[in-house]
Amino acid sequence: MVWKLLLTGIVLPAVVSGTILLISYLLWRRLPFNITQAALCLGYTAGYTGIGGLPSMPPADASQWTVYAAILAVAVSTLYTAFSFRKKADYILMAMFSCGLSFFLLRPLLQYRWSDMEGFFWISGTGALIFTLWLLVIKEAETPGLLPLSSAMLITVAFSGLTLLFSGSAMLGQLAGAFTAALLPAAIAAFRPPSGHHFRKVMPVSVVVVAGLWINGYFFAEMPVWSIAFLLIALCAPMFVKAAGIHRRSPLKQALITGTASAIPSSLALAIAVIHYV
Amino acid sequence: MKRLKLEMLQRNSGDMTILEKSSLNKWRGNKMKKISACLILFVLLLLPLQLKAADRYEIDPSHSTLIFKVKHLNTSYFYGRFNDITGSIVADAKNPANSSVITTVKTESIDTNDEKRDKHLRNPDFFNASQFPEIRFRSEKIEQLRDGTYMVSGKLLLHGIEKSLQVKMTKTGEGKDPWGNYRMGLHTSFKIKRSDFGMKYMLDGIGDEVELSLGIEAIRKES
């Protein structure tokens, strides 16, 4: 049973995502357009199917929305790349996507638990949080070296999985694990410049999946709010590293330092969830 | 009035004055009104008799139970229950086809004698109680098989997915309680596949087939 879980939840998404990246690299000697995020999206979808079965259409529960949001994020950003919009349109699109995702994830609570006013407050607040996370990650992706971001992202998502496991939902934890596995080949490829620049392309998918899992964990399981706060801080590690001037060091050192800087708040997030669980 | 009518009929209508014609119309109108009133009264008198034929019951949550049985790690059967059951029954003894059952179970009320496990069962891995707070059965057709046994067809809503379900329901007893309320008991047992309702997590560890036993005690509501 454990082997099956590891195979479907970890190996399968990593193999799907890695194979697509490898084929693309062999064909074009680089990772073109949105292949990287399509690989990540397909890897995660394969992992989701292995863990919780094929998502139904329309989505039956909030966790399934993370799959559809990832697919939509790939479609929208592919269209966005094809047509050059103004920077302002970029932000409007991101804000719309964030609020839409928040609405679809929290709709059951609006239906059964909240008043319209409460629903408006929570949905707009959560939408604003996703938007902020998106802006933060995009800002980090604009830095020349992408290794700090890839290692911080990988550490944060992996610890998100462990935190979710101790927040009452093994399935959400495994989904975060599947996403980590799908992200791994892209993060490893970031060590090989210039192909490392492809990692910028995974941002929309990463933001919607990670935010979607955190929201599921907080509202539908028992993920403590402080755990989410520390995981957010963990994602900011590349900014601290840049501020400390570490980005001038070798790529491996950069990755190690950022990974450690990200692991400290991530561990705190996990510790809080464990204490809450025990 | 009768004499007036007789005189009117004897006369040729062409000979009638305007005053006489208006009196005749008024008389006819009054008679129609009386007949209509009698008919309405008759229908109104019959209505309670008709309603009386179908009794309305409210499910008594403190004496109703929903138990589930599922295989754990392919070794033993594990039992759990739901504590909050509400609903109503319309029972027509003469014509069971007019009867109906609506039962609602609060998912949050799951009880497996272990608070940590109950929390886990309420989470997205299984029942997802925040997103799907109710399990509901609504009958669509009831047929009497033999005395006290019915075939109830309807829709079961579980985990946000509605599926058709047919169960054999038995009347386990009825009668007055010490406080003068009239009570009726029903029981049914049936199997479902949780994967049919989108509950696909850990199918290897926790069985797909779930057996449910529902015991209902309902109190008749006096109209």
Side-chain angles (χ1 to χ4, degrees):
Chain A
M1 199 174 72
V2 177
W3 284 110
K4 196 185 169 189
L5 284 175
L6 282 174
L7 198 72
T8 54
I10 305 288
V11 178
L12 182 68
V15 166
V16 170
S17 159
T19 308
I20 296 168
L21 288 182
L22 190 68
I23 291 169
S24 318
Y25 190 75
L26 290 174
L27 283 174
W28 297 290
R29 289 279 147 199
R30 64 189 174 92
L31 299 170
F33 297 110
N34 289 313
I35 290 282
T36 313
Q37 61 171 337
L40 181 58
C41 177
L42 283 170
Y44 178 63
T45 308
Y48 189 100
T49 309
I51 294 162
L54 199 68
S56 57
M57 187 68 201
D61 67 59
S63 73
Q64 292 186 355
W65 273 108
T66 58
V67 176
Y68 288 103
I71 294 167
L72 204 64
V74 175
V76 171
S77 57
T78 306
L79 281 173
Y80 192 82
T81 317
F83 303 99
S84 51
F85 291 108
R86 284 181 187 173
K87 191 91 175 167
K88 206 183 263 180
D90 200 349
Y91 292 131
I92 291 168
L93 199 68
M94 276 157 56
M96 278 168 63
F97 206 103
S98 302
C99 288
L101 179 64
S102 167
F103 172 75
F104 285 113
L105 287 172
L106 301 178
R107 201 167 49 164
L109 295 172
L110 187 65
Q111 197 178 344
Y112 297 113
R113 196 185 289 175
W114 293 332
S115 65
D116 288 350
M117 202 60 187
E118 281 175 314
F120 175 76
F121 169 75
W122 279 109
I123 288 167
S124 50
T126 312
L129 192 77
I130 301 170
F131 183 62
T132 311
L133 177 69
W134 207 326
L135 285 179
L136 177 88
V137 172
I138 278 181
K139 190 80 188 158
E140 286 178 344
E142 281 169 3
T143 54
L146 283 160
L147 274 174
L149 179 60
S150 67
S151 56
M153 181 73 89
L154 205 63
I155 294 282
T156 310
V157 180
F159 271 89
S160 295
L162 292 170
T163 308
L164 282 162
L165 273 177
F166 283 96
S167 302
S169 178
M171 189 183 80
L172 292 176
Q174 277 180 272
L175 290 178
F179 190 72
T180 313
L183 190 68
L184 191 66
I188 291 169
F191 277 89
R192 280 184 65 91
S195 58
H197 296 291
H198 70 280
F199 202 78
R200 277 194 188 95
K201 297 279 196 283
V202 305
M203 290 315 138
V205 179
S206 302
V207 167
V208 296
V209 173
V210 170
L213 291 173
W214 288 354
I215 291 167
N216 265 285
Y218 178 69
F219 287 100
F220 304 123
E222 284 112 41
M223 193 175 186
V225 71
W226 284 107
S227 292
I228 298 176
F230 277 110
L231 288 168
L232 261 172
I233 293 169
L235 263 185
C236 298
M239 281 186 165
F240 305 139
V241 167
K242 193 187 168 193
I246 293 163
H247 61 287
R248 290 186 202 97
R249 303 212 178 168
S250 72
L252 193 66
K253 274 186 182 169
Q254 277 184 52
L256 279 173
I257 293 166
T258 321
T260 312
S262 183
I264 294 165
S266 295
S267 305
L268 284 170
L270 175 62
I272 291 166
V274 172
I275 291 164
H276 191 260
Y277 179 75
V278 175
Chain B
M1 197 55 90
K2 270 183 184 173
R3 204 175 60 219
L4 179 70
K5 186 191 159 198
L6 218 69
E7 282 172 14
M8 296 285 179
L9 289 171
Q10 280 168 354
R11 286 182 193 178
N12 189 331
S13 62
D15 299 337
M16 282 166 79
T17 62
I18 293 166
L19 189 68
E20 282 168 342
K21 274 184 183 172
S22 115
S23 299
L24 180 64
N25 286 340
K26 200 176 170 183
W27 174 79
R28 279 180 181 155
N30 282 340
K31 188 162 188 182
M32 282 307 289
K33 271 182 194 167
K34 275 182 184 170
I35 292 167
S36 305
C38 283
L39 274 171
I40 290 167
L41 195 67
F42 183 68
V43 169
L44 284 173
L45 282 169
L46 277 180
L47 203 60
L49 290 174
Q50 192 66 29
L51 286 175
K52 190 76 186 161
D55 291 318
R56 191 183 152 76
Y57 291 78
E58 288 286 327
I59 289 174
D60 177 6
S62 56
H63 295 102
S64 299
T65 321
L66 176 62
I67 294 172
F68 64 88
K69 175 183 146 186
V70 67
K71 208 158 195 185
H72 179 244
L73 294 175
N74 216 17
T75 50
S76 65
Y77 282 108
F78 177 77
Y79 291 81
R81 58 178 282 168
F82 290 93
N83 294 328
D84 192 338
I85 306 166
T86 52
S88 61
I89 298 163
V90 175
D92 190 338
K94 285 181 182 165
N95 186 8
N98 284 341
S99 304
S100 64
V101 181
I102 297 172
T103 316
T104 306
V105 177
K106 289 263 181 277
T107 321
E108 195 78 31
S109 72
I110 194 162
D111 180 1
T112 61
N113 198 30
D114 183 327
E115 190 46 44
K116 264 207 176 105
R117 182 173 47 217
D118 293 347
K119 268 188 177 179
H120 188 204
L121 288 167
R122 286 180 200 121
N123 281 345
D125 295 6
F126 296 99
F127 287 95
N128 213 341
S130 301
Q131 287 181 60
F132 311 113
E134 285 179 357
I135 300 166
R136 198 168 53 234
F137 178 76
R138 197 181 70 246
S139 73
E140 286 177 337
K141 190 182 167 193
I142 297 181
E143 288 172 285
Q144 186 163 15
L145 298 176
R146 52 182 181 273
D147 196 28
T149 308
Y150 306 89
M151 187 56 81
V152 182
S153 309
K155 297 271 186 202
L156 176 69
L157 177 78
L158 170 64
H159 202 251
I161 294 172
E162 201 171 50
K163 294 243 171 221
S164 294
L165 181 77
Q166 199 174 43
V167 296
K168 202 184 272 184
M169 201 170 252
T170 317
K171 191 194 271 185
T172 47
E174 61 183 320
K176 275 199 172 181
D177 66 15
W179 302 275
N181 298 312
Y182 196 84
R183 288 173 182 261
M184 177 176 63
L186 293 167
H187 180 264
T188 182
S189 211
F190 55 94
K191 284 176 186 173
I192 57 163
K193 278 193 173 180
R194 65 183 178 105
S195 59
D196 288 345
F197 294 88
M199 293 170 73
K200 294 174 188 170
Y201 187 65
M202 277 181 81
L203 283 171
D204 291 335
I206 294 153
D208 191 11
E209 194 175 80
V210 183
E211 194 177 317
L212 292 132
S213 289
L214 174 68
I216 293 175
E217 193 168 301
I219 305 169
R220 191 166 71 193
K221 294 283 140 187
E222 301 301 333
S223 50

